[in-house]
Amino acid sequence: MKRYRMSVCKGSSCREGGSDAVHVAAREALAARGLQTRCELYRGGCYGFCHMGPNVVVREDTGRKRDPLSPEDYQLMGWPGEVYYSGMTAEKMTRVVGEHIQDDAPVKELFGQPDSGDDGQPI
């Protein structure tokens, strides 16, 4: 069974866009499904994709010791099993918990595209 680490951005733009509600929805959905032991939930720093927020990053927990000074709390690392979600809402977060965390099926239509501009077109 896979384990995950989920980080919800706490940068000012994401918070203005509703990331606090996204974090609450994640916490409640994990508790309602009994998934707290399968997924550690964090408040991450700003990932730099403010125009695409609220942002959420889900990574598979491979057992690697968590380094409190690692840049993983504020940047995408490109690690296998890393998924970036953008434009998150409480409803979308509940879906991510149900599909990605519970069923090990990332929700591809909610993936963020960090290499795109505001207009959604590649830079």
Side-chain angles (χ1 to χ4, degrees), residues 5-11 14-15 18-27 40-47 54-58 73 85 88 93:
R5 292 179 176 168
M6 181 186 309
S7 179
V8 179
C9 180
K10 65 178 177 183
C14 282
R15 289 183 82 159
S19 71
D20 288 339
V22 170
H23 186 267
V24 168
R27 187 178 63 233
E40 295 180 58
L41 179 62
Y42 298 94
R43 288 307 302 252
C46 176
Y47 289 95
N55 298 298
V56 173
V57 176
V58 177
D73 284 336
Y85 293 105
M88 294 300 288
M93 189 75 258

Side-chain angles (χ1 to χ4, degrees), residues 26-46:
R27 187 178 63 233
E28 291 175 352
L30 289 168
R33 296 172 185 265
L35 296 172
Q36 302 99 316
T37 59
R38 246 185 112 187
C39 182
E40 295 180 58
L41 179 62
Y42 298 94
R43 288 307 302 252
C46 176

Side-chain angles (χ1 to χ4, degrees), residues 46-80:
C46 176
Y47 289 95
F49 307 118
C50 306
H51 65 286
M52 298 173 67
N55 298 298
V56 173
V57 176
V58 177
R59 295 184 175 104
E60 287 184 37
D61 184 347
T62 60
R64 171 186 45 80
K65 185 175 180 182
R66 184 164 160 66
D67 177 357
L69 301 176
S70 171
E72 70 184 273
D73 284 336
Y74 55 86
Q75 74 183 44
L76 298 179
M77 303 300 287
W79 293 337

